[in-house]
Amino acid sequence: MNINEALNLLNLSQNVSKEDIKKAYKKMAVKYHPDRNPAGAEVMKAINAAFEFLSSLEGETFTHTDTKNAYNFAEELAEIIAELKKLQGIIIEVCGNWLWLSGETRNHKEELKSLGCFWAAKKLKWYYRPAEHKSKKHRKAWDMDEIRSKYGSSIHHSNSNNVLATR
């Protein structure tokens, strides 16, 4: 996760202070609390990761380096998760601000494509990621255990609000 991604998850742009980040986090926590929002558990995982990332950085203010492309990724993520939960047999794994999809995905290939999901042939899973994550030819290939170790993980069934596992 980088600063732009974290700020997008908290719906922040421009110059923000640590206090602004705390206020935005509290606002998002209320909006996406699992008791209020069907996709809340998954979105809160990503929002918590963004808040922890920004809190761990040195400095008192942060600048979105790409304000032209700033957007509310949490809202986008909530909409995607709500659509994914309608698909029978899909297992949704939240790792940072990426979604990894497994289970009975073959039956839903066209729906996943239309939602903006991509197939990761080496991992044999579908994924959904922030728009600012473009492919880079020389990016290190991580296995799922490395991804889970670095970003944490929570697994959800598409037809359930229950968290199956958190790492």
Side-chain angles (χ1 to χ4, degrees):
M1 182 175 300
N2 63 38
I3 291 175
N4 291 343
E5 294 166 357
L7 292 174
N8 284 342
L9 270 165
L10 295 174
N11 197 23
L12 294 169
S13 59
Q14 305 302 327
N15 296 332
V16 294
S17 67
K18 290 239 180 187
E19 190 61 35
D20 296 330
I21 291 168
K22 286 179 187 176
K23 287 178 186 174
Y25 172 75
K26 288 177 183 177
K27 180 178 176 183
M28 298 301 261
V30 168
K31 182 174 183 178
Y32 293 107
H33 191 277
D35 291 343
R36 295 181 178 198
N37 191 313
E42 296 88 350
V43 177
M44 279 307 301
K45 174 76 175 158
I47 290 169
N48 286 336
F51 180 70
E52 288 172 17
F53 172 76
L54 291 171
S55 296
S56 71
L57 297 177
E58 297 293 323
E60 289 301 311
T61 61
F62 303 95
T63 302
H64 200 299
T65 58
D66 189 11
T67 55
K68 178 179 168 191
N69 293 318
Y71 64 103
N72 185 351
F73 183 64
E75 190 68 34
E76 178 182 319
L77 196 59
E79 290 170 9
I80 294 298
I81 290 169
E83 290 300 315
L84 290 170
K85 285 190 163 207
K86 294 176 186 175
L87 305 176
Q88 277 302 105
I90 301 290
I91 297 171
I92 304 166
E93 183 173 5
V94 181
C95 296
N97 57 353
W98 285 47
L99 302 176
W100 289 94
L101 312 169
S102 59
E104 299 172 24
T105 59
R106 184 170 288 196
N107 302 337
H108 305 292
K109 180 179 177 180
E110 295 306 316
E111 292 100 324
L112 293 172
K113 283 182 181 179
S114 71
L115 289 172
C117 298
F118 301 94
W119 175 248
K122 291 181 181 176
K123 293 178 181 59
L124 300 177
K125 294 178 181 265
W126 287 85
Y127 65 93
Y128 185 83
R129 51 126 172 96
E132 59 263 22
H133 272 284
K134 301 292 181 197
S135 287
K136 294 179 181 172
K137 287 190 177 195
H138 302 293
R139 181 178 286 174
K140 178 186 180 250
W142 292 29
D143 67 27
M144 286 306 296
D145 288 333
E146 289 175 310
I147 293 169
R148 289 177 184 120
S149 174
K150 180 165 179 151
Y151 298 104
S153 168
S154 64
I155 300 173
H156 310 263
H157 272 290
S158 60
N159 53 359
S160 164
N161 285 330
N162 298 332
V163 176
L164 300 177
T166 302
R167 297 179 190 176

